[in-house]
Amino acid sequence: MNNAESAALVLVCRERGWTAASDGVSADLVVLNTCSVRLTAEQRVLGRIGLYASMKKKRQGRRDAQRHFALVIAGCMAQRMGETLKEQFPAVDYVMGTASRSVFPLILEAVEKNINSGSFPDITLDESPKFAFSSSHLEEGQLSLSVRSFVPIMHGCNNYCSYCIVPYVRGREVSRDPAMIAEEIRLVGGRGVREITLLGQNVNTYNWIGADSGEPLHFAGLLKIVAAEAPKNGVEWLRFLSANPKDFSPQTIQVMAENPVFCRHLHLCVQHGSNSILAAMNRGYTREQYLSLVREIRAAMPGISLSTDILVGFPGETEHDVEETLALMEEVQFLYAYMYHFNPREGTAAYSLPERISEDVKKERLSRVISLQKKHTAKLLKERIGARERVLIEGISRKNTEELITRTERDEMAVVPGPASMIGCFGELTFSGLRGNTFRAKELS
């Protein structure tokens, strides 16, 4: 989502005649589009603000300095902290939360008029700004290489999982007009995009009520529309992120199974394997319901790969709870997982929960989860050696310019010798070996 929204901001800049700077030192405008999901993400942003504050001070201290630069903090961290960011860091010129992106053209105009003086005027924002979707989220800077693109379909979250800051920085759920979604698919398809990922904090609660019919269009219905629209515009693969297990309907499974345009990979966040911890997290489903959903998905789409998120060290977590998580992982066998330990986020329901787990214990439990996942990933990948797969060629390998980096619909990576002219095409290859978690192949056809 951050990538998609950053691309939309870049598009606004380009439309006004701005071009990308080679680095922060030479820039007239620096935009940090922030994330608040993890505390570590915010800490990195604070370090980056300090870096640019130092740059500003040095540039302003030079007698030959003809131009200054504006520093804009955007995104979730800007939404959460608001104007206190400017109070803490005077080098910050503008703070633009997730609901205030419509003010970005006004910021650009102010910077354009005052870049020589370096004195940027305040901009009065709407007291209750409403979120508005951008028309395009394609990374315009590398059109020739942009074979994959993100298309947001909804914004916000109504779930209020007890550990999660997202509903507080993204707000309530807002679904995007399906006509806008279809238009963006046509746009990016015409630019050479071959794979689209539909985005939302909770995509499967998409709910658009048309002004004409008044009939709601739910996620499965939207998937039918997208499945019909995408191939007509050269888009051959579709994915979506993120899906909450409690809202995953049988209709969605059916649409995916009936339309091969949907890749046979699904990121299905479980977070934990213990019912007591799932309840404390306010996840809205049980361990048994999650496993039942996995069985339904695999029965409808044999061979589908699954990935997930796992959070350990939640307040009150016992050794038995950890063992249940490990047992769930053994049963499901995820291809990969994003694994992390609990960090209290101020403002969430879990922030003040008692029975905190010590840092040492959290790290030890997380290490066991990571170790088991590495074992499963290695096993699943090793079993795939010798398989022949259709792949989308995404770019040139960073380690060898004579090799291409490719991806399967199961979200597996493979490198194979080939020319750059193949980027953006589909091909077939046979997995001949592994290097780390990346498959090797000898030739592409």
Side-chain angles (χ1 to χ4, degrees):
M1 186 65 82
N2 191 284
N3 284 343
E5 292 175 349
S6 295
L9 294 176
V10 170
L11 178 60
V12 175
C13 291
R14 292 184 183 280
E15 288 174 343
R16 292 187 63 93
W18 288 71
T19 56
S22 58
D23 51 48
V25 175
S26 60
D28 296 317
L29 172 71
V30 174
V31 182
L32 300 183
N33 193 20
T34 64
C35 175
S36 288
V37 172
R38 306 279 183 268
L39 181 60
T40 50
E42 290 197 354
Q43 291 170 337
R44 286 196 297 271
V45 170
L46 295 177
R48 194 65 60 87
I49 291 175
L51 172 66
Y52 284 112
S54 176
M55 284 186 186
K56 247 189 178 187
K57 188 174 182 180
K58 288 180 180 179
R59 188 187 291 194
Q60 290 169 348
R62 287 170 48 195
R63 291 183 178 180
D64 61 341
Q66 298 297 312
R67 301 171 75 83
H68 304 268
F69 71 85
L71 179 58
V72 180
I73 311 301
C76 290
M77 188 173 172
Q79 184 74 27
R80 188 181 74 80
M81 297 184 66
E83 292 298 305
T84 59
L85 271 170
K86 291 179 67 175
E87 296 170 5
Q88 292 183 31
F89 302 95
V92 173
D93 297 293
Y94 296 104
V95 177
M96 183 175 66
T98 57
S100 304
R101 286 211 315 271
S102 58
V103 80
F104 193 50
L106 299 178
I107 292 176
L108 294 180
E109 182 180 1
V111 175
E112 291 161 4
K113 290 180 178 179
N114 298 277
I115 192 66
N116 289 321
S117 69
S119 178
F120 303 109
D122 291 336
I123 295 175
T124 303
L125 303 180
D126 186 339
E127 291 184 0
S128 57
K130 294 182 179 179
F131 177 82
F133 290 97
S134 301
S135 59
S136 173
H137 302 81
L138 180 65
E139 294 188 47
E140 297 275 358
Q142 302 180 31
L143 283 179
S144 62
L145 302 180
S146 295
V147 299
R148 306 169 69 223
S149 185
F150 298 115
V151 175
I153 65 168
M154 57 89 68
H155 175 91
C157 184
N158 295 346
N159 287 330
Y160 289 92
C161 296
S162 62
Y163 56 86
C164 186
I165 196 72
V166 168
Y168 304 94
V169 295
R170 289 280 176 174
R172 304 289 288 177
E173 292 174 358
V174 179
S175 294
R176 189 181 183 189
D177 186 336
M180 285 185 65
I181 297 171
E183 178 59 32
E184 184 165 3
I185 290 172
R186 289 190 288 270
L187 170 66
V188 300
R191 299 286 181 86
V193 167
R194 296 296 170 255
E195 177 189 308
I196 282 175
T197 300
L198 305 176
L199 290 182
Q201 275 73 42
N202 189 17
V203 289
N204 39 4
T205 54
Y206 176 89
N207 182 33
W208 175 262
I209 299 178
D212 297 329
S213 65
E215 292 294 323
L217 176 68
H218 298 301
F219 185 54
L222 176 68
L223 291 187
K224 287 183 181 180
I225 294 173
V226 173
E229 191 67 38
K232 292 188 296 185
N233 295 280
V235 179
E236 299 186 38
W237 280 0
L238 292 171
R239 305 179 191 269
F240 55 82
L241 289 170
S242 287
N244 191 307
K246 75 179 180 62
D247 301 308
F248 212 105
S249 70
Q251 292 80 8
T252 295
I253 297 174
Q254 181 179 354
V255 173
M256 290 181 66
E258 292 176 352
N259 292 275
V261 69
F262 290 105
C263 292
R264 290 330 189 216
H265 171 261
L266 184 62
H267 189 76
L268 195 62
C269 307
V270 65
Q271 299 296 0
H272 212 277
S274 162
N275 282 338
S276 62
I277 298 299
L278 287 172
M281 290 179 171
N282 194 34
R283 289 294 290 171
Y285 55 84
T286 64
R287 167 198 184 90
E288 292 75 22
Q289 289 170 330
Y290 182 90
L291 292 173
S292 176
L293 176 60
V294 167
R295 288 191 289 269
E296 289 177 34
I297 291 169
R298 284 180 164 160
M301 292 169 281
I304 191 171
S305 65
L306 297 176
S307 55
T308 198
D309 293 353
I310 297 176
L311 187 161
V312 299
F314 193 82
E317 180 188 68
T318 65
E319 183 60 28
H320 176 70
D321 295 325
V322 178
E323 290 297 329
E324 289 211 294
T325 298
L326 296 172
L328 182 141
M329 293 171 66
E330 288 280 15
E331 183 166 347
V332 178
Q333 299 275 310
F334 297 106
L335 179 62
Y336 60 85
Y338 298 103
M339 299 157 286
Y340 49 102
H341 63 66
F342 174 77
N343 277 315
R345 303 309 314 276
E346 188 174 359
T348 64
Y351 182 75
S352 58
L353 286 179
E355 299 183 83
R356 290 276 183 90
I357 309 299
S358 72
E359 289 297 312
D360 288 344
V361 172
K362 285 193 292 187
K363 290 177 181 178
E364 187 277 330
R365 290 175 177 178
L366 178 60
S367 70
R368 287 155 60 193
V369 169
I370 292 174
S371 177
L372 181 60
Q373 182 55 53
K374 285 183 176 180
K375 175 184 172 183
H376 291 164
T377 298
K379 169 180 171 289
L380 293 172
L381 294 180
K382 186 176 181 180
E383 290 173 351
R384 297 273 289 153
I385 294 176
R388 187 159 183 82
E389 285 291 328
R390 186 174 187 240
V391 295
L392 175 59
I393 302 156
E394 296 184 354
I396 299 171
S397 171
R398 287 179 292 180
K399 295 183 178 179
N400 186 340
T401 56
E402 295 183 356
E403 291 183 326
L404 301 173
I405 190 73
T406 74
R407 187 186 306 265
T408 74
E409 64 172 325
R410 288 167 47 92
D411 209 25
E412 302 154 324
M413 305 303 296
V415 293
V416 62
S421 59
M422 292 292 290
I423 296 173
C425 299
F426 285 89
E428 289 194 356
L429 49 74
T430 300
F431 298 146
S432 59
L434 272 169
R435 179 185 293 169
N437 291 336
T438 302
F439 286 107
R440 313 290 301 177
K442 295 179 179 179
E443 60 180 2
L444 184 69
S445 61

